[in-house]
Amino acid sequence: MPLTLVYAILVWAAGGMLVNRQMWVPFGCMVISSYLMMELNNINVLIRIYSRMVSCSFLVLTAMATMTFADMQGAIVQLCVIAFYMSLFQSYQDKESSGWVFYAFFCLGMASLTFIQIVFFVPFLWIMLWRNMMSLSWRTFWASIIGLLAPYWFVGTYYLVVGHPEHLASHVASIASFHPLLDYQMLDEHLVVSLVFVLLLGIIGTIHFLRNSFFDKIRTRMIYYLLITMLCLSVVFAVLQPQHAQVLLRIMTVSTSILIAHFIALTKTRLTNVTFILLIVLSLVITVYNLWIPSLLF
């Protein structure tokens, strides 16, 4: 973990984000997100052996997507999504856990202040709150709605005080702004390569987990099924509305980091060891590619 953190810091420095562009806030979000990923693993025992692979995988994949370093929106959304998972998983099989559900959806509401389209995930999250967490009740349902709206009470009050309530209205109205479906012209190859690689890792981790899920506890399985569902939903969203692909890559990275960490930490065959080495090499190659090879589309 310390070596991986040093590696991530060096990649940020090589991209000129810390010295030349002074992108300290997104960098701080990355560091806090990495710590929360470690705590997410510790609290929920996502890997049944002692391992820091979840946070290490997260750092490597986050450092690989160098085109997202200056994206403040994506950094906030990613941090809020991790905090959302930390709170939501505490509500497992507890239909009275309105507090945890409130905190979870409050984090989602905070993310929606910068990326309003994350609200599209809410109906599916209610289903997963019922099916995976087994904690959906009228109490937790209303707690989720209040938590989702709570950040807007504060922001709305601020805009009323400064005399610009139309800013909040225009932000909420932007949820209905759609680009043509399957319009990939705004994507450059760096983002596409990163998306494909993260998706590939997600597929590898998903197949491994589904084949070996009987070794894990039921609670752990439910968490992984939720993460797999969120990964699939993010991919579908990115395919249909590619203009949001950079932010959705951040959400995909959270799920993929946990899935591929499960694969790396719990497999010991010759084939999987070779696969691990290949994945490390590929991640390094893509990182170098994103850092120093300019886009060919522009």
Side-chain angles (χ1 to χ4, degrees):
M1 177 63 187
L3 290 176
T4 311
L5 181 58
V6 170
Y7 163 77
I9 293 173
L10 291 176
V11 173
W12 272 74
M17 295 295 158
L18 301 182
V19 178
N20 298 333
R21 301 181 63 180
Q22 299 291 308
M23 301 301 296
W24 293 104
V25 175
F27 175 76
C29 288
M30 184 273 293
V31 173
I32 297 172
S33 296
S34 303
Y35 172 76
L36 291 183
M37 287 292 285
M38 182 174 64
E39 289 299 318
L40 184 67
N41 177 41
N42 292 342
I43 295 171
N44 298 283
V45 195
L46 298 176
I47 299 179
R48 57 183 179 270
I49 62 173
Y50 178 79
S51 175
R52 296 294 187 203
M53 192 54 65
V54 169
S55 47
C56 290
S57 300
F58 176 79
L59 280 169
V60 171
L61 292 180
T62 303
M64 178 195 71
T66 60
M67 79 292 297
T68 66
F69 285 177
D71 181 15
M72 189 64 198
Q73 179 192 45
I76 293 173
V77 169
Q78 188 174 63
L79 179 59
C80 289
V81 167
I82 299 170
F84 167 80
Y85 287 145
M86 289 189 70
S87 297
L88 186 71
F89 295 164
Q90 298 304 306
S91 70
Y92 179 72
Q93 285 189 335
D94 185 2
K95 294 186 178 182
E96 301 298 320
S97 59
S98 53
W100 285 116
V101 174
F102 170 84
Y103 297 141
F105 281 83
F106 180 84
C107 294
L108 209 65
M110 291 292 292
S112 71
L113 291 177
T114 61
F115 181 57
I116 188 65
Q117 286 76 14
I118 202 171
V119 174
F120 289 129
F121 289 102
V122 171
F124 301 98
L125 290 169
W126 280 332
I127 295 173
M128 288 183 277
L129 187 63
W130 163 67
R131 181 66 181 87
N132 297 89
M133 295 294 99
M134 293 176 278
S135 58
L136 182 63
S137 63
W138 282 112
R139 184 186 295 270
T140 56
F141 174 75
W142 288 111
S144 69
I145 293 179
I146 295 172
L148 191 65
L149 296 178
Y152 289 88
W153 300 345
F154 299 101
V155 175
T157 302
Y158 168 76
Y159 280 127
L160 284 174
V161 170
V162 300
H164 294 289
E166 69 278 2
H167 292 345
L168 182 61
S170 62
H171 172 70
V172 174
S174 66
I175 194 173
S177 176
F178 297 100
H179 286 209
L181 295 178
L182 311 177
D183 182 10
Y184 303 109
Q185 294 182 358
M186 75 286 294
L187 301 181
D188 64 37
E189 64 269 23
H190 292 276
L191 181 56
V192 172
V193 169
S194 300
L195 280 166
V196 171
F197 183 66
V198 170
L199 178 57
L200 174 64
L201 296 186
I203 292 172
I204 293 173
T206 299
I207 293 173
H208 164 76
F209 173 76
L210 294 178
R211 291 185 60 192
N212 299 274
S213 60
F214 57 88
F215 288 117
D216 291 299
K217 297 180 179 179
I218 295 177
R219 182 178 185 273
T220 306
R221 292 184 220 169
M222 293 297 103
I223 290 175
Y224 272 88
Y225 292 146
L226 185 150
L227 294 170
I228 292 169
T229 303
M230 284 296 293
L231 176 61
C232 294
L233 291 173
S234 301
V235 172
V236 172
F237 196 170
V239 169
L240 295 178
Q241 293 289 291
Q243 74 273 15
H244 302 305
Q246 186 161 297
V247 179
L248 292 169
L249 173 61
R250 297 279 198 147
I251 300 175
M252 292 168 57
T253 299
V254 177
S255 296
T256 297
S257 299
I258 298 172
L259 290 166
I260 199 61
H262 192 277
F263 166 79
I264 294 171
L266 299 175
T267 54
K268 300 178 182 179
T269 67
R270 180 181 179 87
L271 176 61
T272 56
N273 287 340
V274 172
T275 303
F276 168 70
I277 294 172
L278 289 175
L279 293 178
I280 289 294
V281 172
L282 276 174
S283 64
L284 293 175
V285 169
I286 294 174
T287 302
V288 172
Y289 169 68
N290 288 336
L291 272 176
W292 290 301
I293 299 181
S295 174
L296 299 177
L297 297 181
F298 302 99

